[in-house]
């Protein structure tokens, strides 16, 4: 624990001297923003390390999702490289994010979604990555059904149209259609932007919508 606190202080010093990556810009006090910045970068770095090695694809996905501004790349890179040395202490960062967004579960779900994207960047889903993500789910207090939905979308072997649509019991054609329409409304990029979803996260939202369309088409044709 003492080592984790020491690392946090080192990366906090780096992060405090740079503007947050664009996805993390928030109109709040600097301490809260710094904690958020460090927490997300830490989890992104440590999930990349969970299978034993950090691949270029995983780093690339991190940069695509969080859109590091050119002027911030060096300092954010320092934070990322320091935190990816091992996976130790990731629970602390997850808990900090849970504390910040305990009443904004959609943000925590988006973070979990992004972590799955990084984990699957190399095309493999390692058991250590799953253990990491399950622990984050528990700390974030994201529901098991939500976790199954995200996993079903990102992990090819786990694809399940019912899980993607959040359906856990038998449903008729009318119910299926109503559920699909609700998900289309809830996940439409324009609606998400209006609710404050950062532009950088729209790519993930588009991916989620494509998976919802695929799942519905498969079930409707069955």
């Amino acid at each position: 624990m003492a080592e984790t606190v020491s690392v946090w202080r080192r990366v906090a010093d780096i992060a405090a001297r740079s503007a947050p990556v664009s996805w993390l810009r928030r109109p709040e006090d600097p301490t809260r923003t710094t904690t958020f910045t460090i927490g997300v970068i830490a989890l992104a770095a440590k999930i990349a390390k969970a299978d034993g090695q950090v691949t270029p694809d995983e780093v690339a996905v991190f940069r695509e999702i969080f859109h590091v501004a050119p002027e911030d790349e060096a300092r954010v890179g320092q934070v990322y490289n320091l935190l990816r040395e091992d996976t130790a202490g990731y629970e602390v960062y997850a808990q900090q994010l849970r504390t910040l967004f305990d009443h904004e579960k959609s943000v925590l779900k988006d973070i979990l979604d992004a972590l799955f994207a990084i984990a699957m960047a190399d095309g493999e889903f390692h058991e250590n990555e799953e253990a990491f993500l399950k622990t984050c789910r528990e700390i974030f207090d994201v529901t098991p059904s939500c976790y199954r939905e995200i996993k079903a979308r990102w992990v090819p072997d786990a694809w399940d149209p019912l899980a993607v649509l959040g359906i856990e019991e038998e449903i008729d054609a009318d119910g299926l259609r109503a559920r699909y329409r609700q998900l289309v409304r809830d996940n439409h990029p324009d609606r998400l932007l209006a609710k404050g979803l950062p532009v950088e996260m729209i790519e993930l939202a588009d991916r989620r919508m494509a998976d919802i369309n695929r799942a519905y088409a498969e079930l409707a044709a069955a």
Side-chain angles (χ1 to χ4, degrees):
M1 180 62 181
E3 182 177 351
T4 300
V5 172
S6 175
V7 171
W8 194 95
R9 287 173 177 167
R10 290 164 64 193
V11 297
D13 180 62
I14 296 170
R17 288 183 280 109
S18 65
V21 292
S22 57
W23 186 67
L24 306 177
R25 298 186 194 281
R26 304 179 63 79
E28 292 145 354
D29 66 89
T31 299
R32 193 171 193 262
T33 300
T34 297
T35 300
F36 182 38
T37 303
I38 294 170
V40 173
I41 295 175
L43 292 184
K46 290 177 182 294
I47 187 63
K49 184 67 174 180
D51 61 358
Q53 61 180 348
V54 179
T55 68
D57 287 338
E58 289 167 331
V59 176
V61 169
F62 165 76
R63 290 181 176 276
E64 287 172 10
I65 293 174
F66 297 110
H67 287 230
V68 180
E71 64 271 21
D72 296 332
E73 282 191 0
R75 285 186 289 267
V76 170
Q78 283 181 277
V79 174
Y80 186 89
N81 290 332
L82 180 61
L83 290 167
R84 75 178 184 178
E85 292 176 0
D86 59 47
T87 60
Y90 74 90
E91 298 92 341
V92 174
Y93 299 101
Q95 185 58 59
Q96 289 171 344
L97 291 171
R98 161 71 184 278
T99 300
L100 287 177
F101 298 102
D102 197 29
H103 300 295
E104 298 177 67
K105 284 296 190 293
S106 62
V107 175
L108 296 173
K109 180 180 177 180
D110 285 339
I111 293 172
L112 195 61
D113 207 342
L115 293 176
F116 260 96
I118 294 169
M120 290 303 299
D122 60 0
E124 298 181 4
F125 193 49
H126 194 276
E127 61 182 1
N128 290 344
E129 292 172 327
E130 177 151 40
F132 183 111
L133 291 164
K134 282 184 174 179
T135 298
C136 287
R137 181 208 71 76
E138 292 171 359
I139 294 172
F140 289 170
D141 194 28
V142 169
T143 65
S145 62
C146 180
Y147 179 88
R148 287 195 297 273
E149 175 248 311
I150 298 173
K151 180 181 178 181
R153 290 192 291 101
W154 282 108
V155 182
D157 290 344
W159 172 259
D160 178 353
L162 290 171
V164 171
L165 298 184
I167 297 172
E168 299 185 14
E169 55 188 39
E170 187 174 341
I171 191 170
D172 60 19
D174 289 339
L176 175 63
R177 188 161 44 250
R179 175 61 178 163
Y180 170 69
R181 288 174 177 170
Q182 177 188 340
L183 289 172
V184 169
R185 287 193 300 271
D186 292 345
N187 290 279
H188 192 284
D190 290 344
R191 182 186 179 102
L192 295 175
L193 282 171
K195 292 172 63 177
L197 185 73
V199 173
E200 292 83 359
M201 294 298 285
I202 290 300
E203 183 176 343
L204 287 179
D206 287 340
R207 162 70 183 258
R208 182 162 58 243
M209 195 64 250
D211 289 334
I212 289 170
N213 288 333
R214 175 189 168 192
Y216 176 71
E218 290 182 6
L219 292 173

